[in-house]
Amino acid sequence: MRKLPVSFYDRENVLQIAQELLGKILVTKLKGKVTSGRIVECEAYDGIGDGASHAFGGRRTNRNEVMYAGAGTAYVYICYGIHYLFNVVTNKKEIPHAILIRALEPEEGIAEMMKRRGKKLFDHSLTKGPGSLSVAMGISIEDNGCSLQSEHLFIAGDGFVPDKEMIGISPRIGVEAAGKAAVYPYRFYIRDSPFVSGKK
DNA sequence: CGACCGATCGTCT
DNA sequence: GACGATCGGTCGA
């Protein structure tokens, strides 16, 4: 298992990177607890021309400032006042590309994830959906701006690459109000994974 | 199983 | 002062 280098994130085609993130492993190490999960669903947000992006039209505020940081930075923000949503920033500094991680298949530390989620029984909802996976992985607003080369939060590969036909593509979820961008096929997921959120 | 709805608060207008 | 890149519970079929 090998941490993805900055060069993985530092590329121009955010759709390509999003697709390549499927099958990679998100890892956190917090207070001695290791939790990890394989990425099975993500969405690309393609910079200032993307009507569904927080950076649409070059918008730049305290909240989304981290989107303008260099490749391989964590962008975490609060959604609906309740949920932390975890994104990875791609492309060069000042170019606000990002990928929202929407679902994982748990690997290590399942008991710890269940504890964080307040679950007694293991089921697919453990790491299904961006808000849920943040809780399971212990990701919070404190991780906003954190480098993904950190020891406590990173994404790694173990050589597994999903076959092309395992990958589904669809419009993004929850962006109905984004006009033209609402129908862009920027969501990527593993077709047969029960941990994928939304419709297949 | 699908549709609906309330929770909850930081962010931007 | 309105509005979310959501979740989980409830209700009805």
Side-chain angles (χ1 to χ4, degrees), chain A residues 108-161:
Chain A
E108 265 185 281
I110 291 179
E112 178 65 18
M113 293 190 205
M114 287 170 60
K115 196 163 141 192
R116 289 173 183 158
R117 294 269 285 120
K119 286 185 160 301
K120 292 212 164 62
L121 299 175
F122 172 82
D123 70 3
H124 302 322
S125 68
L126 187 63
T127 50
K128 181 201 291 249
S132 301
L133 80 84
S134 291
V135 173
M137 297 294 289
I139 292 170
S140 78
I141 196 69
E142 290 178 24
D143 297 305
N144 188 38
C146 180
S147 164
L148 295 176
Q149 303 305 117
S150 306
E151 277 311 301
H152 78 283
L153 172 63
F154 59 90
I155 300 174
D158 64 355
F160 171 73
V161 178

Side-chain angles (χ1 to χ4, degrees), chain A residues 9-190:
Chain A
Y9 307 101
D10 191 3
R11 291 182 282 160
E12 295 192 0
N13 189 339
V14 68
L15 301 175
Q16 174 76 27
I17 302 170
Q19 198 155 166
E20 289 180 23
L21 276 177
L22 295 176
K24 299 294 190 289
I25 301 168
L26 177 63
V27 183
T28 63
K29 298 181 183 174
L30 304 170
K31 298 179 181 172
K33 306 284 188 184
V34 178
T35 48
S36 71
R38 208 173 282 275
I39 297 169
V40 294
E41 182 186 3
C42 61
E43 290 177 354
Y45 287 84
D46 192 14
I48 64 175
D50 180 350
S53 171
H54 291 165
F56 179 54
R59 207 151 59 101
R60 185 165 186 161
T61 64
N62 279 333
R63 176 177 70 155
N64 75 358
E65 178 60 32
V66 167
M67 295 185 83
Y68 292 82
T73 304
Y75 171 43
V76 181
Y77 72 94
I78 298 170
C79 185
Y80 293 98
I82 311 172
H83 306 289
Y84 299 122
L85 270 59
F86 170 73
N87 302 247
V88 309
V89 175
T90 68
N91 211 330
K92 304 211 179 309
K93 192 166 157 46
E94 300 301 318
I95 299 180
H97 287 185
I99 299 166
L100 171 67
I101 308 302
R102 291 192 54 92
L104 305 173
E105 287 194 3
E107 296 251 320
E108 265 185 281
I110 291 179
E112 178 65 18
M113 293 190 205
M114 287 170 60
K115 196 163 141 192
R116 289 173 183 158
R117 294 269 285 120
K119 286 185 160 301
K120 292 212 164 62
L121 299 175
F122 172 82
D123 70 3
H124 302 322
S125 68
L126 187 63
T127 50
K128 181 201 291 249
S132 301
L133 80 84
S134 291
V135 173
M137 297 294 289
I139 292 170
S140 78
I141 196 69
E142 290 178 24
D143 297 305
N144 188 38
C146 180
S147 164
L148 295 176
Q149 303 305 117
S150 306
E151 277 311 301
H152 78 283
L153 172 63
F154 59 90
I155 300 174
D158 64 355
F160 171 73
V161 178
D163 292 338
K164 197 91 175 174
E165 55 270 21
M166 290 172 64
I167 297 176
I169 303 178
S170 81
R172 294 167 290 186
I173 292 180
V175 299
E176 295 78 11
K180 207 170 72 168
V183 298
Y184 291 172
Y186 286 1
R187 171 172 174 255
F188 304 93
Y189 59 94
I190 301 294

